[in-house]
Amino acid sequence: MLFTEAEHQALNQALSNDARVLYCLGLRPTANISTATSAPLQYKSLLALLNGDQPDGQYTRGRQVNSVLRQLEQHGLIALPEAYTLEQSLNGVALILPLIAAKQDAYLHLHHQHQPMQVSWRPDETLFKDMANLLGLIDQDYSEEDIGEFVAYWLGRPATVFSHFQWTQKFAYGMKRKRLASGQTQVRKVGSQNVKVAPGIEADDNARKLVEKYAAKKKS
């Protein structure tokens, strides 16, 4: 099993070892590369993995697994299908693993420099569109106000240091959460009709297209 450059970068950030174990041993080995999704979560096996050889381990409930998943989400290693949150049971739910969707060779330069948030920060437009497609974010427009809110929030956390890739990725996640929080329904245009997007389906289709895009680039 080979990790992408983006995964290496994310896994080397300030993650707990439990989060690394959950991702590297619990989610990644059985992930579907073509759709960038994990196998359906099984809390029982994940609890056993996190507890290791400790018979009276600290992990006994699904919500404790979710607390570790939250770390992975914050570092861009996982994303939740639409209509799911970390406040509910995810047993039997397949997660999105955005960083395995492509080799992302075109974005290597965005991984090299790590820095705290800057007042002048702007998302990388091409990467944002690819991440938005992968996450099923249909409305991909954003305003200077959206950027300003994101920058202002992270300026207040100067100890947080990410690469430009990760900052753009977090911005894409933030825009999706903002759309969902406002009650906006994800739709797509089919002919002359607006059709609601079924949870997970749009993300799977976009992940597959993203993989094909980068596979074609690599061959050429």
Side-chain angles (χ1 to χ4, degrees):
M1 179 179 63
L2 297 177
F3 291 100
T4 65
E5 177 67 18
E7 286 178 303
H8 276 294
Q9 293 287 340
L11 288 168
N12 281 311
Q13 295 299 308
L15 274 172
S16 69
N17 284 333
D18 285 348
R20 293 190 182 95
V21 166
L22 185 59
Y23 185 83
C24 295
L25 300 180
L27 301 179
R28 186 64 160 82
T30 57
N32 186 322
I33 303 298
S34 65
T35 61
T37 55
S38 72
L41 299 189
Q42 299 298 326
Y43 279 152
K44 184 176 181 179
S45 61
L46 294 179
L47 288 168
L49 178 65
L50 289 169
N51 286 322
D53 60 356
Q54 303 299 317
D56 299 319
Q58 62 174 315
Y59 293 97
T60 60
R61 298 178 180 277
R63 65 188 179 195
Q64 292 172 301
V65 175
N66 284 15
S67 69
V68 182
L69 290 174
R70 188 180 302 280
Q71 294 182 51
L72 297 177
E73 183 192 37
Q74 290 170 346
H75 286 78
L77 285 156
I78 68 166
L80 303 182
E82 186 182 347
Y84 288 98
T85 72
L86 288 166
E87 280 65 51
Q88 66 190 101
S89 173
L90 298 175
N91 201 49
V93 176
L95 305 180
I96 302 167
L97 307 186
L99 301 188
I100 72 171
K103 296 299 182 185
Q104 302 180 69
D105 296 334
Y107 295 129
L108 285 179
H109 64 289
L110 299 180
H111 292 291
H112 293 161
Q113 185 175 358
H114 291 71
Q115 61 183 18
M117 179 53 65
Q118 305 290 320
V119 173
S120 59
W121 182 86
R122 291 294 182 275
D124 182 271
E125 292 186 10
T126 303
L127 174 59
F128 175 81
K129 288 185 180 299
D130 279 346
M131 284 293 159
N133 285 334
L134 184 59
L135 296 173
L137 180 59
I138 307 304
D139 181 0
Q140 299 178 8
D141 292 332
Y142 55 83
S143 65
E144 287 297 311
E145 182 179 355
D146 291 323
I147 297 175
E149 289 178 358
F150 182 79
V151 169
Y153 177 84
W154 287 106
L155 281 175
R157 291 156 178 78
T160 303
V161 176
F162 288 122
S163 67
H164 193 49
F165 183 101
Q166 291 169 315
W167 281 125
T168 299
Q169 185 184 48
K170 290 184 78 66
F171 181 67
Y173 292 146
M175 289 304 298
K176 179 171 183 178
R177 284 193 291 268
K178 190 172 183 178
R179 299 280 192 265
L180 295 177
S182 67
Q184 177 176 328
T185 302
Q186 296 282 31
V187 298
R188 58 175 170 154
K189 191 83 169 178
V190 179
S192 60
Q193 303 178 57
N194 288 326
V195 180
K196 289 185 178 179
V197 177
I201 294 178
E202 186 71 17
D204 285 354
D205 289 344
N206 286 321
R208 191 176 299 107
K209 291 175 184 176
L210 196 55
V211 172
E212 292 171 353
K213 171 183 173 182
Y214 283 94
K217 282 187 178 181
K218 192 169 185 181
K219 288 180 182 178
S220 62

